[in-house]
Structures are given as C-alpha cells and as structure tokens.
Amino acid sequence: MEKQTIVVKIGSSSLTNDQGEIDEQKLSGYVEAIAALKKAKHTVILVSSGAVAAGFKQLGYPSRPVTIKGRQAAAAVGQSLLIQSYIKKFGQYQLVPAQILLTRSDFSQRERYQNAFSTINELLDRNIIPIINENDTVSIKELTFGDNDMLSALVSGFIHADQLIILTDINGLYTDNPMKNPHAEKYSFLEEITDEVLASASSEGSKVGTGGMKSKLEAAKRALSLGVSTFIGKAEGKYSLLQVLQGTGDGTYISNKSMQPINTKKQWIALHSESTGKIHIDSGAEKAILYDGRSLLPAGITDVQGTFVKGDVVEVYGQNKLLGKGKVNYSSTEVMIEIKKRQEQGKLAPSIEVIHRNNWVTFK
Ligand code: GLU
C-alpha cells in the first residue's frame, strides 16, 4: 500500500473513565494500532482529547467541571498527564510524540498559521508523532475550534491528509439509534453528508467528552470539503487502523470521487481569516468571479464597507448573498479612488485587480 498521511482523532470517552482517570489499557491499545501504522511507513498525526477528562479528579472535582475556569484548570492538569502517558507508551515502540496545543487565533493569524504548518511538517519529516489538542487552558468559548472533531477535520485539510480517522465507541453511523432500535442499519459508505443525515444524528456526547455523532458528521463534511476522506468508527486491536486504510474498518467511510484538495492559502482565507471589510458587486462581476474564473476588478464594485489595507481579507457580496472571501491587493481608500476613476473616465481608466483569482474562495 502507498504511504499515506493519516490524522487519527481519539475522544475523551475512548481514553478516560468516568472517574476522571486515564484508561491506560485503552490508551495502550490505540498507541499499539498507531505504531502499526508507523511501522507500515504511514505518516500519522494524532488529535487527542481527554485533557479535561483526565484532569478533573486530581484537581479535586467529583465529575467534569461545569465552570469554564474549572474546565480550564482541569485541562492544565490533565493535558500533562495525558502526554506523559503517550510518551511512555509510544516510547515502547521507539516512537517520539510531540505536544501541540492550538487555539483558533493561532489559525486566524496568517503568520502563526504558517508557523504551525512549518512546525508540524518539520516534526513529520523527522518521524515524530504530533499530538494535537485545543489549548483549553487559554481558549475562550467564542474562539474555540468548536470541538476536537472539527479541529481534526481542519488539521487534516491543513496538512493535506489522505485520510481522517475519527475514533469513537460506536462502530459507525446508523439510520437510527442502534441502542434503542434493533432495526437500525449501519451506513458503510456515504458520498456526502446531507442535511437529512445531519438532522438524524444525535448531538449528545458522553459524560466525559463533548461532541456526539452530529459533531463527527459535521467534521466529516468539513474534511470532505477540503478534499479529505473520513472514517468514523471503532478501532480495536493492533491492526485495526491498518484495516481502516485497507477498507475493512469497523465503521462508516465518507468519501467522494469529486473531492478536490484545497491549497493551504485558500483554506486560510475561507476558514480562518477574519474579514475586515465588505465589497458589494454587480451581476456582471458576480458572473466573472463565480463562473468565468476571473479576478475582481473595480468596474463591478458597487459599494465598499469597512476599512481595510492591502493583504486583508474581505467578504464579497453579490445581489442576494455572500459569494465568498478574498485577499485584497489594495486598501479600501485605494479601491474607492479606483471606482471613482472608472465613473469619471469610463473604460479609459486603467484597471487593477482588487482581488486576484488565486486569492479568492467561492462559498458553496
Ligand atoms: N479539548 C478537550 C479536552 O482535551 C476536548 C474537546 C472535545 O472533546 O471535543 O478535554
């Protein structure tokens, strides 16, 4: 089998028990399966939850804390315990893990985003296993990745993974809750995550984790949009992750032939950048950028809102809706001057490209 880049996501309930302790046996099982992937020369990135769930007991809480400061403090205790266990267990296979804690603002700032990208690639080049988690201790609610399912999807797009494997304690997606309905049937393969499928999935997570099947499907949908196939299911046993790659995993596969990988710069524009302004355009410009593969020129711009500088990202609105986002080559003041020039001189005014095609992302 060809060497692949795999992102494996493991949730809190797969790594810890209800009492707020790491389940060393389960963790060993996953490490063994990842070691088998590494032995087969695949590149592996682990997105691991469990910091809060592994830390609350030692922090003195009887169950997962409900306050933000309680969760953040529990994560500070638990994250180090978690990494300690991973270092010990991976060490048995002569594998070295590295801890990466990310917040959304690390992704929204282009420089930090690029740094994270280079660091992860350096680690992978050196055969290290990056273990990524959200930096819960400093993340604030409004600025999180949502949950680690979504984080794993974003990471898999970011590093252009071949496969995202979201592990959970149920072996895939069912037509109904299999615990309650014995006639519920498993989906072995899905080409897309429709609104119907999303609506039928439960958003309930476990006592120790967040998420639930719904967040896994939302993550799979995001991964698909970034050109990455996803598997949601169980992996028990040494060869279980290799079996997932071979197509015989115990779960649901989500992939689609028309998936297109998106380059990292465009992912940043679409998913992470913060817009500093809005540009409204007419129907001619809308057609040009959506269907003709053109850049955005001042001629089609009908209104500019907000103050932006060269290199900022703005939202572009058509007649009825938000069309997409793009990185501007000119400031809002310069764009206004250009629009005025066009109004005064008509077609004689030399045109500029306000947003170059390569820095434009259409929203579907
Ligand atoms: N980052 C959280 C933790 O490690 C978990 C978030 C999630 O499960 O989605 O405890």
Side-chain angles (χ1 to χ4, degrees):
M1 185 189 284
E2 240 176 79
K3 176 179 169 308
Q4 296 193 28
T5 299
I6 325 286
V7 175
V8 179
K9 188 261 166 178
I10 314 180
S12 303
S13 62
S14 304
L15 293 168
T16 57
N17 60 30
D18 282 0
Q19 282 89 54
E21 294 157 341
I22 294 172
D23 185 327
E24 298 289 343
Q25 206 179 339
K26 281 195 199 163
L27 192 133
S28 294
Y30 292 121
V31 166
E32 185 184 34
I34 291 172
L37 282 182
K38 291 290 296 174
K39 197 158 179 227
K41 302 271 177 266
H42 298 297
T43 298
V44 184
I45 290 121
L46 180 58
V47 174
S48 175
S49 305
V52 178
F56 68 76
K57 184 183 175 189
Q58 294 218 20
L59 189 66
Y61 280 87
S63 58
R64 192 180 165 93
V66 287
T67 61
I68 294 176
K69 65 178 183 185
R71 281 203 300 272
Q72 294 191 312
V77 176
Q79 181 65 29
S80 36
L81 294 171
L82 203 57
I83 287 295
Q84 199 177 25
S85 289
Y86 277 125
I87 292 173
K88 203 166 129 213
K89 304 261 152 68
F90 276 119
Q92 291 165 4
Y93 302 90
Q94 285 75 50
L95 291 167
V96 178
Q99 167 180 274
I100 301 187
L101 299 177
L102 294 172
T103 59
R104 238 188 59 192
S105 53
D106 294 323
F107 270 26
S108 63
Q109 291 180 27
R110 179 117 177 95
E111 232 177 48
R112 279 154 74 177
Y113 179 74
Q114 282 167 328
N115 275 349
F117 184 74
S118 312
T119 306
I120 293 172
N121 278 306
E122 169 73 0
L123 291 167
L124 296 178
D125 286 348
R126 303 199 154 262
N127 204 30
I128 304 288
I129 302 175
I131 302 182
I132 302 179
N133 194 0
E134 179 139 21
N135 194 351
D136 297 308
T137 301
V138 295
S139 294
I140 52 166
K141 195 165 180 280
E142 296 71 27
L143 267 182
T144 61
F145 289 101
D147 53 50
N148 272 7
D149 294 321
M150 189 50 79
L151 174 60
S152 69
L154 295 172
V155 165
S156 63
F158 183 53
I159 51 132
H160 306 295
D162 299 292
Q163 177 84 51
L164 167 62
I165 300 178
I166 301 184
L167 296 178
T168 177
D169 27 30
I170 169 159
N171 65 343
L173 177 70
Y174 281 77
T175 51
D176 196 3
N177 184 344
M179 315 273 197
K180 293 185 187 150
N181 178 358
H183 303 294
E185 278 176 45
K186 191 170 97 176
Y187 293 103
S188 303
F189 179 77
L190 284 171
E191 268 200 355
E192 58 174 335
I193 305 293
T194 58
D195 291 346
E196 205 187 338
V197 167
L198 266 179
S200 68
S202 161
S203 54
E204 264 173 57
S206 66
K207 273 195 206 135
V208 289
T210 57
M213 190 49 86
K214 194 173 204 146
S215 81
K216 292 176 179 45
L217 292 174
E218 274 161 359
K221 190 172 180 169
R222 169 64 69 217
L224 215 54
S225 77
L226 300 174
V228 183
S229 309
T230 304
F231 170 88
I232 301 175
K234 274 188 169 179
E236 280 165 6
K238 182 171 175 185
Y239 299 108
S240 55
L241 290 173
L242 279 169
Q243 281 159 0
V244 170
L245 299 191
Q246 283 152 2
T248 54
D250 192 10
T252 302
Y253 286 86
I254 303 142
S255 97
N256 184 323
K257 282 207 185 71
S258 63
M259 291 183 321
Q260 291 281 345
I262 301 183
N263 74 41
T264 313
K265 181 173 72 178
K266 289 200 175 189
Q267 287 185 39
W268 179 78
I269 292 173
L271 301 172
H272 308 298
S273 68
E274 283 161 18
S275 313
T276 48
K278 291 179 182 168
I279 290 180
H280 292 262
I281 62 173
D282 64 19
S283 56
E286 184 170 331
K287 179 175 170 287
I289 59 168
L290 294 192
Y291 308 110
D292 303 340
R294 301 276 184 79
S295 298
L296 179 65
L297 310 179
I301 300 180
T302 54
D303 191 21
V304 175
Q305 289 170 354
T307 310
F308 48 84
V309 296
K310 179 178 181 215
D312 276 4
V313 171
V314 299
E315 290 175 342
V316 176
Y317 287 82
Q319 306 295 300
N320 312 310
K321 59 171 185 153
L322 174 63
L323 304 175
K325 280 163 87 180
K327 193 166 107 177
V328 286
N329 286 331
Y330 297 89
S331 69
S332 43
T333 315
E334 287 166 327
V335 174
M336 307 270 243
I337 294 171
E338 287 300 319
I339 295 172
K340 201 144 179 274
K341 262 196 223 160
R342 297 283 307 180
Q343 283 163 354
E344 286 164 7
Q345 302 170 19
K347 292 209 162 103
L348 293 174
S351 199
I352 56 164
E353 285 178 332
V354 178
I355 297 176
H356 189 272
R357 187 74 222 149
N358 295 345
N359 294 323
W360 166 256
V361 186
T362 301
F363 286 170
K364 301 245 162 61

Coordinates of all heavy atoms in Angstrom, one line a residue, residues 7 9 15 20 24 30 40 50 57 68 72 83 169 177 210 229 268 295 314 318 336-337 352 359:
V7 N -4.7 11.4 9.8 CA -5.0 12.1 11.0 C -5.9 11.1 11.8 O -7.0 10.7 11.3 CB -5.6 13.4 10.8 CG1 -6.1 14.1 12.1 CG2 -4.7 14.4 10.1
K9 N -8.2 10.8 15.2 CA -8.8 11.6 16.3 C -9.3 10.6 17.4 O -10.1 9.8 17.0 CB -9.8 12.5 15.8 CG -10.3 13.5 16.8 CD -11.6 13.1 17.4 CE -12.0 13.8 18.7 NZ -13.2 13.5 19.3
L15 N -10.5 7.4 26.0 CA -9.2 7.4 26.7 C -9.3 7.5 28.2 O -8.3 7.3 28.9 CB -8.4 8.7 26.2 CG -8.0 8.7 24.8 CD1 -7.5 10.1 24.4 CD2 -6.9 7.7 24.5
G20 N -12.5 10.3 36.0 CA -11.5 11.3 35.7 C -10.1 10.8 35.7 O -9.2 11.4 36.2
E24 N -5.5 3.5 31.0 CA -4.2 3.1 30.4 C -4.3 2.0 29.4 O -3.5 2.0 28.4 CB -3.2 2.8 31.5 CG -2.9 3.9 32.5 CD -2.1 5.1 32.0 OE1 -1.5 4.9 30.9 OE2 -2.1 6.2 32.6
Y30 N -4.7 2.0 21.5 CA -4.6 2.9 20.4 C -3.1 3.2 20.0 O -2.8 3.3 18.8 CB -5.3 4.3 20.8 CG -6.8 4.2 20.9 CD1 -7.4 4.5 22.1 CD2 -7.5 3.7 19.9 CE1 -8.8 4.3 22.3 CE2 -8.9 3.5 20.0 CZ -9.5 3.9 21.2 OH -10.9 3.7 21.4
A40 N 4.2 0.5 9.1 CA 3.9 0.4 7.7 C 4.3 1.6 6.9 O 3.8 1.8 5.7 CB 2.4 0.0 7.5
G50 N -9.3 14.6 25.9 CA -9.0 13.9 27.2 C -8.4 14.7 28.2 O -8.2 14.3 29.4
K57 N -10.2 14.9 38.3 CA -10.1 14.2 39.6 C -8.9 14.7 40.5 O -9.1 15.1 41.6 CB -9.9 12.7 39.4 CG -9.9 11.9 40.7 CD -9.6 10.4 40.4 CE -9.5 9.7 41.8 NZ -9.1 8.3 41.6
I68 N -16.1 27.4 33.5 CA -15.0 27.5 32.5 C -13.7 27.4 33.2 O -12.8 26.7 32.8 CB -15.2 28.8 31.7 CG1 -16.4 28.8 30.9 CG2 -14.0 29.1 30.8 CD1 -16.8 30.0 30.1
Q72 N -10.9 24.7 32.5 CA -9.5 25.1 32.0 C -8.4 24.7 32.9 O -7.4 24.3 32.5 CB -9.5 26.6 31.8 CG -10.5 27.0 30.7 CD -10.4 28.5 30.2 OE1 -10.4 29.4 31.0 NE2 -10.3 28.7 28.9
I83 N -0.1 13.5 28.1 CA 1.1 13.5 27.3 C 2.1 12.5 27.9 O 2.8 11.8 27.3 CB 1.7 14.9 27.1 CG1 0.8 15.7 26.1 CG2 3.1 14.9 26.6 CD1 0.8 15.1 24.7
D169 N -16.8 5.2 20.3 CA -17.2 3.9 20.8 C -18.3 3.3 20.1 O -18.8 2.2 20.6 CB -17.4 4.0 22.4 CG -17.8 5.3 22.8 OD1 -18.5 6.0 22.0 OD2 -17.5 5.7 23.9
N177 N -30.8 5.2 16.3 CA -30.0 4.8 17.4 C -30.0 3.3 17.6 O -31.1 2.7 18.0 CB -30.6 5.6 18.7 CG -29.7 5.3 19.9 OD1 -28.9 4.4 19.9 ND2 -29.8 6.1 20.9
T210 N -17.2 15.8 24.7 CA -18.2 16.7 24.1 C -18.7 16.0 22.9 O -18.5 14.8 22.7 CB -17.5 18.1 23.7 OG1 -16.4 17.8 22.8 CG2 -16.9 18.8 25.0
S229 N -10.9 12.2 2.8 CA -11.9 11.2 3.1 C -11.9 11.0 4.6 O -10.8 11.1 5.3 CB -11.4 9.9 2.5 OG -11.2 10.0 1.2
W268 N -7.0 29.0 4.5 CA -6.8 30.1 5.5 C -7.9 31.2 5.2 O -8.6 31.6 6.1 CB -5.4 30.6 5.5 CG -5.3 31.7 6.5 CD1 -5.2 31.5 7.9 CD2 -5.3 33.1 6.2 NE1 -5.1 32.8 8.5 CE2 -5.2 33.7 7.5 CE3 -5.4 33.9 5.1 CZ2 -5.2 35.1 7.6 CZ3 -5.4 35.3 5.2 CH2 -5.3 35.9 6.4
S295 N -10.6 37.6 -12.0 CA -10.3 38.3 -10.8 C -11.3 39.4 -10.6 O -12.1 39.7 -11.5 CB -8.9 39.0 -10.9 OG -7.9 37.9 -11.0
V314 N -11.5 40.3 2.8 CA -12.8 40.9 2.8 C -13.9 39.9 2.3 O -13.6 38.9 1.6 CB -12.9 42.1 1.9 CG1 -11.9 43.2 2.4 CG2 -12.7 41.8 0.5
G318 N -22.8 39.5 -3.5 CA -23.5 39.7 -4.8 C -24.8 40.4 -4.6 O -25.0 41.0 -3.6
M336 N -11.7 52.8 -3.4 CA -12.7 53.8 -3.7 C -12.2 54.8 -4.7 O -13.0 55.2 -5.6 CB -12.9 54.7 -2.4 CG -13.3 53.8 -1.2 SD -15.0 53.6 -1.0 CE -15.2 54.4 0.5
I337 N -10.9 55.1 -4.7 CA -10.4 56.1 -5.7 C -10.5 55.4 -7.1 O -10.9 56.1 -8.1 CB -8.9 56.4 -5.4 CG1 -8.8 57.2 -4.1 CG2 -8.2 57.1 -6.5 CD1 -7.4 57.4 -3.5
I352 N -7.3 47.7 -12.3 CA -6.5 47.0 -11.4 C -7.2 45.7 -10.9 O -8.4 45.7 -11.0 CB -6.1 47.9 -10.1 CG1 -7.4 48.4 -9.5 CG2 -5.2 49.0 -10.5 CD1 -7.2 48.9 -8.1
N359 N -6.4 34.4 -4.9 CA -6.6 34.7 -3.5 C -8.1 34.8 -3.3 O -8.6 35.5 -2.4 CB -6.0 36.1 -3.2 CG -4.5 36.0 -3.2 OD1 -3.9 35.0 -2.9 ND2 -3.9 37.0 -3.7

